[in-house]
Every structure is written in structure tokens, then in C-alpha cells.
Amino acid sequence: MIDYLIQFDTQLFHLINSGLSNPFFNSVMPFVTDLKNWYITYIILFGYLFIKGGKNGRIAATTLIFAIILTDQISSMFIKELVGRLRPCITLENINLLVSCGAGKSFPSSHAANSFATATILSYFYPQYKHYLYSIATVICFSRVY
């Protein structure tokens, strides 16, 4: 069973990483996947929540800070160490590598986990935006594999 899952996972990775490769994604996905490109968005979001969001916004921002810290630590310090999965750019051949490989372990992506934690928390406080929030998190997850 585990061999089947590994084979399926590898095939799915190659489908997303190479099979869907195109000039548009090749230019957009490196931007989406780079955490540094999201810093200004996060600063504006937290500023808005704390200053203009009222009590609900401050609660959402505070909850978000704790959720991201917790999610990041669980994904990077516990699950990644437990699973011990090396990055595909180290273990697989013929991949479409658009950003540096990185040295850490790959599963789960802390960036993807934090994006979904953010979408979950903000969707609770602002349900009218949940489709946008989960869409952004999904694109970030896709960009990690692409």
C-alpha cells in the first residue's frame, strides 16, 4: 500500500510540476511561492485588522498570530521531522525547478500550512471572504509543488 501511495504521489508531483508547465505559470508561480513577496500583504492585513477592524479585527489578528506560530512549529518541528521527507528537487530527476531547492525537509510545506491556517482563522471571523481566502491558500499550495 505504501509503495502505491509513493508512486501515486510521485506521478501527481510530476503532473503538476512538469505536466502543467507553461510560460505563464513559470513567471507567476515563483512570485506566489516566495514568502518574501507576501510580507507587505501581511503587514497591511495585520495593520488593518488592528486599526480598522475593531474588536473583532483585533481578536482575529491576535488569534492569527498564535495560529501561525503554532501551525509553523507543528509542521516544521514535529511533522517534518517525523516524516523526514527530502525535497523533490533532491530526490527526483527531471523537475521544473524555478526557485532554489532549499535544504530543509519538504513535507508538509510550512508555507502551505500557514496559508491554510490563515484562511481558516480569517474565514471564521470574515465568512464573506472565505472563498477568496481559501482560493489564495490553494494557489500558494499549488505553487509549492509547481
Side-chain angles (χ1 to χ4, degrees), residues 98-131:
L98 301 174
V99 297
S100 66
C101 183
K105 298 192 175 79
S106 70
F107 182 82
S109 164
S110 295
H111 189 176
N114 292 338
S115 298
F116 266 95
T118 300
T120 301
I121 297 298
L122 291 179
S123 292
Y124 176 81
F125 288 97
Y126 303 98
Q128 68 272 27
Y129 298 116
K130 71 179 172 184
H131 297 297

Side-chain angles (χ1 to χ4, degrees), residues 49-68:
L49 289 172
F50 273 113
I51 296 168
K52 296 283 189 181
K55 180 181 178 183
N56 205 36
R58 288 187 291 281
I59 293 170
T62 304
T63 304
L64 195 53
I65 290 169
F66 287 111
I68 290 174

Side-chain angles (χ1 to χ4, degrees), residues 79-87 102-109:
I79 299 174
K80 281 186 183 191
E81 294 304 316
L82 182 66
V83 174
R85 184 175 185 178
L86 296 176
R87 292 180 181 274
K105 298 192 175 79
S106 70
F107 182 82
S109 164

Side-chain angles (χ1 to χ4, degrees), residues 26-85:
N26 286 351
S27 62
V28 171
M29 291 303 157
F31 179 84
V32 171
T33 206
D34 190 347
L35 184 59
K36 290 179 281 195
N37 294 327
W38 291 93
Y39 288 161
I40 195 76
T41 303
Y42 293 144
I43 291 168
I44 291 170
L45 174 65
F46 278 104
Y48 181 82
L49 289 172
F50 273 113
I51 296 168
K52 296 283 189 181
K55 180 181 178 183
N56 205 36
R58 288 187 291 281
I59 293 170
T62 304
T63 304
L64 195 53
I65 290 169
F66 287 111
I68 290 174
I69 290 170
L70 186 63
T71 301
D72 194 70
Q73 293 305 304
I74 290 172
S75 68
S76 64
M77 300 304 242
F78 179 69
I79 299 174
K80 281 186 183 191
E81 294 304 316
L82 182 66
V83 174
R85 184 175 185 178

